[in-house]
Amino acid sequence: MNICVVTLFPELVGAVGISGIPRVAIEQGALALSCVSPREFATNRHRTVDDRPFGGGPGMLMIAETLSLAIASARAAVPDAHVVLMSPQGARLNRAKVQALAAMPGLILVCGRYEGIDQRIVDALIDEQVSIGDYVLSGGELGAMVVIDAIARRLPGVLGDAQSVVQDSFETDLLDHPHYTRPERWQGADVPLVLRSGNHRAIDEWRLQQRLSGTARARPDLFYEHGLDDRARALLTAEWQHAAETIEKLGRLSDE
Ligand code: 9WO
């Protein structure tokens, strides 16, 4: 996957590639990450990339011309790119959106700064707007870095077998289970006995049960999507089974 980020802060965005899964993806050749700054295309003495808004109001906007030249340069670097603007006006990023973006032939992630960008850029050059959440940031860069990190772990061959094993979609929609490492007792708290039993079937069952009850407690909305399969019903403790079934019914009702 070839990703080019259009940003006034390439050193900030480049930091996503120096550690973790994105770094591994780059080292393996599964991910190519580059940046283009509108500043490179500013021609006047001050390398101006911003100007005041028509209609008045506070702050400055990114100029259409330098931004469009930067996007054109990114297009030359990433043929067939899907052009995404990081923006609170966009559709919310979730796992399905990450998967869809990871499946694109290439991506250009456009990051706004100041109070925003000239709307004619959005109308003419942006394929899609994506938001990482309902808050305003200083610019789109942190959003682009989130997108890049989330995509990197979905690229083929980047994570080992453990992650790439096809899990059924119900399991992937659950939250994670608790984890423990040594020592067995720390500040009077023991690692659950089952995890030290060596019984891998019992361990798998405990972990799935923890995922179900944890999801019911913290994110009951995740059950809206899939409801409960028979195995989940059997494993979900009685305390949470009632809650989850109620939630599932509510989800069905809201769909009708
Ligand atoms: C500012 C603002 C003020 C009051 C009401 C709504 C508002 N929206 C904005 C706004 O979008 N400012 C942008 C800041 C201008 C361009 C770059 N900025 C940006 C991108 N902030 N937050 C994002 C972003 C990107 C992806 N996901 C969440 C937020």
Side-chain angles (χ1 to χ4, degrees):
M1 157 76 61
N2 197 350
I3 302 179
C4 185
V5 184
V6 174
T7 172
L8 289 169
F9 297 91
E11 67 296 333
L12 170 60
V13 173
V16 74
I18 67 179
S19 71
I21 303 295
R23 176 184 175 163
V24 171
I26 291 165
E27 285 170 354
Q28 288 183 350
L31 175 65
L33 181 58
S34 59
C35 292
V36 175
S37 172
R39 195 80 64 188
E40 298 168 36
F41 304 92
T43 48
N44 75 3
R45 201 158 56 84
H46 302 288
R47 313 231 111 203
T48 305
V49 293
D50 62 334
D51 206 345
R52 292 168 303 166
F54 275 112
M60 303 291 271
L61 299 175
M62 290 179 84
I63 295 170
E65 183 64 12
T66 43
L67 189 50
S68 82
L69 289 169
I71 294 171
S73 168
R75 271 205 175 286
V78 188
D80 304 322
H82 183 67
V83 183
V84 175
L85 175 66
M86 301 312 306
S87 154
Q89 277 84 42
R92 178 75 70 83
L93 188 70
N94 56 20
R95 189 153 45 85
K97 177 61 72 182
V98 170
Q99 192 55 60
L101 294 174
M104 294 289 177
L107 286 176
I108 295 171
L109 304 179
V110 179
C111 303
R113 277 273 159 172
Y114 314 118
E115 296 338 291
I117 72 176
D118 192 298
Q119 181 63 29
R120 291 167 292 189
I121 293 290
V122 180
D123 297 340
L125 299 178
I126 300 298
D127 294 321
E128 180 184 16
Q129 300 187 50
V130 169
S131 166
I132 61 162
D134 294 332
Y135 32 77
V136 177
L137 300 168
S138 304
E141 284 80 6
L142 288 171
M145 292 164 79
V146 166
V147 168
I148 292 162
D149 190 292
I151 285 175
R153 59 179 51 246
R154 309 216 126 227
L155 296 175
V158 170
L159 290 182
D161 290 341
Q163 289 285 331
S164 60
V165 168
V166 184
Q167 289 182 314
D168 71 59
S169 69
F170 184 77
E171 287 205 26
T172 58
D173 277 354
L174 295 175
L175 302 181
D176 203 0
H177 52 75
H179 304 270
Y180 298 88
T181 184
R182 293 190 297 175
E184 285 188 17
R185 167 168 283 194
W186 182 72
Q187 295 194 349
D190 287 332
V191 173
L193 205 54
V194 63
L195 297 179
R196 295 175 278 148
S197 69
N199 181 342
H200 290 285
R201 190 190 289 201
I203 291 169
D204 285 349
E205 194 155 289
W206 181 86
R207 285 179 170 164
L208 181 55
Q209 192 158 4
Q210 290 291 314
R211 295 182 68 193
L212 286 160
S213 57
T215 303
R217 195 181 309 121
R219 290 294 308 280
D221 56 298
L222 295 180
F223 287 119
Y224 279 172
E225 286 285 309
H226 285 267
L228 293 170
D229 64 11
D230 288 344
R231 185 166 174 228
R233 265 176 219 282
L235 283 174
L236 194 48
T237 54
E239 183 188 352
W240 292 109
Q241 186 151 359
H242 177 72
E245 282 171 0
T246 304
I247 288 154
E248 189 185 353
K249 278 184 203 133
L250 286 170
R252 290 224 187 87
L253 287 175
S254 72
D255 289 342
E256 284 160 9

